[in-house]
Amino acid sequence: MSRLGTRRGAEHTRILSTGSRRPDRVVSNDEICQVLDSSDQWIRERTGIINRRFAAPGETVVDLAVPAAQQAIERAGLQPGDIDAVIVATITHMISTPSAAALVAARIGAGRAVTFDLSTACAGFSHGISVASDLIRGGSVRHVLLIGVDRMTDVIDPTDRGSAMIFGDGAGAAVIGPSDTPGIGPTVWGSDADQWEALYQTQSWTGYRDERDAGGTPPWPVLTMMGPKIFRWAVWDMSPVARKALEAAEVDVADLAAFIPHQANMRIIDQMAKQLKIPDHVVIARDVAESGNTTGASIPLAMDRLVSEGQVPSGGLALLIGFGAGLSYSAQVVELP
C-alpha cells in the first residue's frame, strides 16, 4: 500500500519586520463635523479619536498596501523574490478578482508567490498571523508577507453618527518567517456569528445594481453598526479571549511589553486593559487617536508605530487581539520584531 509524502517546515515562526503606509491627508474632528451633526468634544469623549487619515481620490487598497509591503520586506533584509506567499486582510478591495494580494505581489516583484485575500474585517490581520505561521510550520512556504489594509472611506456614510467619525484609511504589513525559538504563540479564535447583524453592509452589490437598473436611485451600500452592542461585546466577551491567548502562550500579563488590540475605540481599549489588569509598565497601543479605526490595518499600523518609534523593545512580548464584523475574533501573543 503506497503512502503519501508529507512536508515539515520550521518548528517555530516569528514576525521578522513591519511596515506601514498612512495616507497623507489628515482629517480632524472639526472637518468631519462639517458634514456630520456632532462636535470635536463629543467625538473625543466617546471615541478618543482626534484625527484620522483619508486616502487620496483614486488611491486604492493596493496603492496603500504596496509601500507598506516594500518597507516590511526591506526591513526584513529580504528581496521580493524571497516572499513565498502574500496574504492581504481587507474588506474594501472594490473588485471581485483578481485579489488584492495578487495585484500587490505583481507590483512589488513577488509575482511567483501564493496570493489570496482574507475577509474577516477587524480580525483579519490577527487571523492572517495564524494562517501565515501554520503555512510556514507546515512546510508550504518559508516567508509570508501579510498586509492589513482598508480604505474605509469607500464604505462609510459621512452623515451616519454611529460610524462616520470612527473610521480611517491605511495599510500595515509584516513579514513572517521561520525562527529557532517560538515567536508566535497559539491563536485563540472563533466567532459569534449569530450576532452578525451588529455590523453589516446595508445592501448587496447585486441589490444595488438591480434597483439602479430598474430606474431607481439606490443609496451606495455602506456599513452600519450597533455601536452600544459592539462596545459591550468587545469589552465583556473579548477580554476572556485575550486571557485564553495568554494562557495558551503560557505567559502572564506582567510578562508583556505591549498590549496591541484592534484600534476600534479608545474607550474599548481602556476598558479591555482594565478587565485584563494590564500593568503600568506595559505599553498600550492607542494609535486610534491619530489614525481612527482602520479595520484590517489597525493592528499592524499600531504595532509598526510602537516598534519604529522605539516605544517597545525588540523581542518583547505583545498581546494582539482583533475583533469585529462577523462577529469574528482572534488573539495571540507574539515576539515583537
Side-chain angles (χ1 to χ4, degrees):
M1 183 175 179
S2 63
R3 298 182 62 185
L4 294 175
T6 60
R7 289 178 177 174
R8 180 177 295 179
E11 184 176 0
H12 307 298
T13 59
R14 67 180 302 106
I15 298 173
L16 304 177
S17 62
T18 59
S20 63
R21 164 63 176 150
R22 300 173 189 272
D24 297 331
R25 184 183 169 199
V26 179
V27 180
S28 68
N29 289 339
D30 288 334
E31 182 175 344
I32 290 288
C33 294
Q34 292 175 12
V35 177
L36 189 70
D37 180 20
S38 188
S39 68
D40 173 62
Q41 181 179 354
W42 192 93
I43 294 172
R44 290 191 189 217
E45 288 177 353
R46 285 160 179 78
T47 70
I49 298 170
I50 302 168
N51 296 303
R52 71 284 292 148
R53 302 289 186 103
F54 282 2
E59 189 176 20
T60 68
V61 294
V62 174
D63 296 327
L64 292 169
V66 165
Q70 291 170 327
Q71 187 177 57
I73 292 171
E74 181 180 354
R75 287 175 173 174
L78 299 174
Q79 298 297 319
D82 297 322
I83 299 300
D84 304 301
V86 178
I87 303 172
V88 173
T90 185
I91 58 168
T92 53
H93 180 47
M94 303 303 283
I95 61 173
S96 297
T97 194
S99 67
L103 296 177
V104 170
R107 286 254 206 113
I108 65 174
R112 294 291 184 179
V114 176
T115 59
F116 57 92
D117 292 353
L118 285 177
S119 178
T120 50
C122 307
F125 188 82
S126 45
H127 271 49
I129 288 176
S130 185
V131 172
S133 179
D134 287 350
L135 285 172
I136 295 166
R137 295 179 65 202
S140 297
V141 299
R142 184 169 174 82
H143 291 110
V144 178
L145 171 64
L146 172 63
I147 306 164
V149 56
D150 272 302
R151 180 184 161 120
M152 297 304 294
T153 46
D154 278 336
V155 294
I156 295 301
D157 176 359
T159 65
D160 180 5
R161 281 177 57 89
S163 62
M165 80 284 286
I166 295 172
F167 293 98
D169 305 331
V175 173
I176 299 172
S179 173
D180 293 333
T181 56
I184 296 175
T187 297
V188 176
W189 54 356
S191 69
D192 290 322
D194 291 337
Q195 299 191 72
W196 66 267
E197 290 179 311
L199 203 168
Y200 64 96
Q201 184 172 302
T202 53
Q203 184 173 217
S204 71
W205 299 113
T206 51
Y208 172 83
R209 178 200 62 196
D210 293 346
E211 187 175 343
R212 182 203 61 197
D213 290 352
T217 53
W220 181 253
V222 294
L223 293 184
T224 185
M225 67 179 183
M226 302 175 186
K229 187 172 185 176
I230 292 287
F231 181 92
R232 291 191 296 270
W233 175 76
V235 172
W236 301 111
D237 290 18
M238 293 301 97
S239 295
V241 171
R243 289 192 199 98
K244 289 179 181 178
L246 289 168
E247 292 168 3
E250 300 179 10
V251 169
D252 187 83
V253 67
D255 298 325
L256 295 174
F259 175 45
I260 311 177
H262 165 49
Q263 302 292 290
N265 174 308
M266 195 73 78
R267 291 171 61 211
I268 290 175
I269 294 169
D270 289 343
Q271 284 296 322
M272 287 187 72
K274 183 178 180 180
Q275 291 296 316
L276 293 169
K277 298 180 180 178
I278 301 291
D280 291 341
H281 72 268
V282 177
V283 176
I284 300 174
R286 292 189 169 90
D287 192 57
V288 67
E290 293 297 332
S291 299
N293 179 343
T294 53
T295 312
S298 99
I299 288 177
L301 279 174
M303 185 190 304
D304 183 68
R305 184 187 291 275
L306 295 183
V307 171
S308 62
E309 294 182 356
Q311 296 186 47
V312 291
S314 175
L317 298 178
L319 170 61
L320 315 181
I321 180 166
F323 48 87
L327 294 173
S328 298
Y329 59 84
S330 53
Q332 63 270 119
V333 177
V334 303
E335 280 193 0
L336 294 163

